[in-house]
Amino acid sequence: MSSQAVKEFLEKTRPESTGDRTAVSLFSGAGLSDLGYEMAGFQFVVQVEVDERRAAIGADNFPESTWIPDDVCTNHEEIAEAYRAATSDPLDLLVATPPCQGMSSSNPSRGKRRTSKAEALEEKNRLILEVIPIAELLKPKIIVAENVRQVLTLEVEYDGTRGQIVDLLRDGLSDYQVFADVVNVADYGIPQIRRRAFVVAVHKEEQWLESATLQNVNPWPSPTHSELSNNGVPRWVSIQEWFKSMQYEHLNAKSKDTARGKHPLHYVPAYASDRYLQVSEIPAHSGQSAYENDTCPSCRHSPVELGTVSCPKCSGVMRNRPYVERDGQPSLIKGFKSSYRRMSPNRPAYTVTTNSSHVGSDFKIHPWENRVLSILECADLQTVPRFYDWTRAQEDRTFYLIRNLIGEAFPTYFTYLHGRFLDNLLAGQG
């Protein structure tokens, strides 16, 4: 299926004026997810982000909004007062995209819910519940919260009660009907597999809610794509199709010169000899990992048994496999099956994360070029419109922060589609 719709979205110009629907954002990052709702007609009145650097970049891009660079958890009244000071209109939309380190699949303690580390992160895990006190103060018509999939089953303690987060939301938002499910953005034509928990709470006074309930439908758009083409539904957009459409400048991590393109965000880390060898010997278009490189780089004996660090013929180190020296002895680096692996060209990209520059992380190597993805490519996969202003971070040379912000966001194209959907519902268009 053509990726033209998403490509056209990236090339959109920013609307000269926002719509008249009001919005507040919690845990805003730099507003990348908020931007989609704004482009759909929602005007952000207040945005809250505890990290001052993130908030400053966000404020550059949302100059009409009041940015509160502080902790959501301790500033409920201040957030509400800032909204009331700006407008007397009822709040249409409350958006929350809290951090998810305690539950993320990229967390080393994933799957070990009761470890001491997981317990220490429980406070972060329950940040999504901060929509409850803000909803009590501002009574938004609709609340939208997004997080990793585990949020739908995770148990935390809140206000003296322990239970699953979704159940606690339903109890705390008694004036709302809460819808919760897992959304994969690849199902909407975005060339990235990103499965996230999506929670939408609708105030029970909304007239269209009864119809949605009777029809047993969720208050977000129906998927437009599927993993396999079925009944006329287009298949997912593959990374190969996307890159062909975008025609990015070729990069190579072999040197600093070849690792940098003309666009200021189109560059990648350059590698020392062994690291570059590990990447370059993974066959292009194979989806394989560096652990599967089976030809000795010294004597070219092949195949060398998987899981070994030395060549059986010349005893040389398999430098084209991820290894370290410990006490003068080589040892393979421990990693997941997805570590040091090329993306499969025939599928969408795997989830863009905050550590997108780390070659050893999950599925981070370009499908056929010898490198990871550039900041520009990651931003495009997260469907951040090209007009977004990164000047502040570029001038401060905090490019790692740009990668973090991009990896944290929910794709802007999806929030744009959802914003248009919600706007129609609020307008009574069913």
Side-chain angles (χ1 to χ4, degrees):
M1 170 62 181
S2 171
S3 53
Q4 189 63 27
V6 177
K7 184 178 179 181
E8 289 177 356
F9 178 78
L10 292 180
E11 296 169 352
K12 277 181 177 286
T13 57
R14 189 159 199 164
E16 293 184 4
S17 61
T18 57
D20 56 3
R21 300 210 182 277
T22 58
V24 168
S25 170
L26 311 178
F27 314 104
S28 306
L32 300 183
S33 300
D34 297 342
L35 186 56
Y37 289 111
E38 184 198 75
M39 294 172 70
F42 289 84
Q43 179 181 357
F44 281 88
V45 179
V46 179
Q47 289 161 286
V48 189
E49 169 54 48
V50 68
D51 185 275
E52 293 184 359
R53 299 172 303 168
R54 286 167 165 79
I57 297 170
D60 290 340
N61 286 275
F62 293 83
E64 303 301 318
S65 178
T66 297
W67 278 79
I68 300 177
D70 214 331
D71 187 358
V72 171
C73 305
T74 57
N75 288 276
H76 302 150
E77 291 289 347
E78 181 185 353
I79 295 166
E81 289 172 7
Y83 180 82
R84 295 180 188 127
T87 180
S88 59
D89 293 337
L91 178 59
D92 290 305
L93 178 64
L94 175 64
V95 178
T97 53
C100 55
Q101 287 91 330
M103 298 175 285
S104 173
S105 61
S106 63
N107 188 314
S109 64
R110 60 187 174 187
K112 302 173 183 178
R113 296 273 179 87
R114 307 308 297 176
T115 65
S116 59
K117 184 171 184 178
E119 292 290 344
L121 287 167
E122 180 165 313
E123 184 175 350
K124 241 170 198 174
N125 294 346
R126 60 172 172 256
L127 287 176
I128 194 171
L129 298 170
E130 291 301 311
V131 300
I132 295 173
I134 301 298
E136 291 175 352
L137 292 167
L138 291 177
K139 297 178 172 42
K141 296 176 184 177
I142 300 172
I143 302 167
V144 175
E146 170 270 332
N147 215 290
V148 295
R149 288 176 288 169
Q150 292 90 329
V151 77
L152 296 181
T153 56
L154 191 77
E155 286 192 0
V156 298
E157 186 169 328
Y158 178 77
D159 200 22
T161 301
R162 188 166 192 86
Q164 290 190 348
I165 287 178
V166 173
D167 292 335
L168 294 171
L169 279 171
R170 289 193 170 101
D171 291 342
L173 297 171
S174 57
D175 291 333
Y176 293 79
Q177 182 163 334
V178 177
F179 301 81
D181 207 342
V182 174
V183 167
N184 184 357
V185 301
D187 291 339
Y188 295 85
I190 296 173
Q192 178 194 174
I193 296 172
R194 192 180 194 91
R195 296 181 176 90
R196 306 288 278 187
F198 203 59
V199 179
V200 177
V202 181
H203 199 283
K204 291 178 179 177
E205 292 183 357
E206 288 301 303
Q207 296 181 355
W208 53 268
L209 176 60
E210 182 179 359
S211 176
T213 303
L214 290 173
Q215 295 180 60
N216 194 31
V217 294
N218 290 318
W220 53 81
S222 298
T224 56
H225 293 64
S226 63
E227 184 171 6
L228 300 174
S229 183
N230 184 28
N231 295 328
V233 177
R235 61 171 175 78
W236 286 344
V237 177
S238 71
I239 192 68
Q240 180 169 260
E241 178 186 357
W242 177 249
F243 281 169
K244 181 179 179 180
S245 170
M246 297 302 291
Q247 296 185 328
Y248 294 108
E249 184 178 359
H250 176 81
L251 300 178
N252 192 317
K254 191 171 186 178
S255 71
K256 289 184 178 180
D257 289 339
T258 59
R260 183 171 294 275
K262 295 176 182 177
H263 191 286
L265 297 181
H266 190 48
Y267 74 93
V268 296
Y271 300 138
S273 57
D274 280 3
R275 178 55 57 85
Y276 182 77
L277 183 67
Q278 291 159 15
V279 173
S280 63
E281 294 212 353
I282 304 172
H285 303 277
S286 68
Q288 293 180 2
S289 80
Y291 292 105
E292 297 171 277
N293 291 333
D294 64 358
T295 299
C296 174
S298 299
C299 71
R300 307 311 294 176
H301 171 72
S302 180
V304 176
E305 184 181 357
L306 296 180
T308 61
V309 72
S310 300
C311 172
K313 182 176 181 180
C314 72
S315 300
V317 177
M318 290 292 291
R319 295 180 294 106
N320 53 1
R321 292 177 178 174
Y323 79 99
V324 292
E325 294 277 353
R326 292 192 176 95
D327 299 325
Q329 297 297 317
S331 174
L332 289 182
I333 296 173
K334 293 182 179 179
F336 294 105
K337 184 179 180 181
S338 54
S339 301
Y340 297 90
R341 184 176 292 273
R342 289 193 186 275
M343 296 178 178
S344 172
N346 299 318
R347 292 176 61 81
Y350 290 87
T351 303
V352 175
T353 64
T354 57
N355 60 355
S356 59
S357 66
H358 296 178
V359 68
S361 188
D362 291 357
F363 297 99
K364 291 299 182 290
I365 303 176
H366 192 284
W368 56 86
E369 294 184 10
N370 298 326
R371 60 181 181 86
V372 293
L373 302 190
S374 71
I375 298 174
L376 177 65
E377 290 165 329
C378 290
D380 287 351
L381 286 170
Q382 284 284 66
T383 63
V384 180
R386 291 287 185 92
F387 65 71
Y388 189 88
D389 184 5
W390 294 108
T391 302
R392 182 183 296 270
Q394 289 173 278
E395 290 178 346
D396 293 343
R397 302 196 63 78
T398 51
F399 294 100
Y400 68 93
L401 179 58
I402 300 178
R403 282 191 181 270
N404 284 345
L405 287 167
I406 291 168
E408 292 166 357
F410 202 46
T412 313
Y413 180 66
F414 180 86
T415 58
Y416 167 71
L417 294 177
H418 190 222
R420 290 176 57 189
F421 185 87
L422 294 180
D423 181 54
N424 287 336
L425 289 178
L426 290 169
Q429 295 179 19

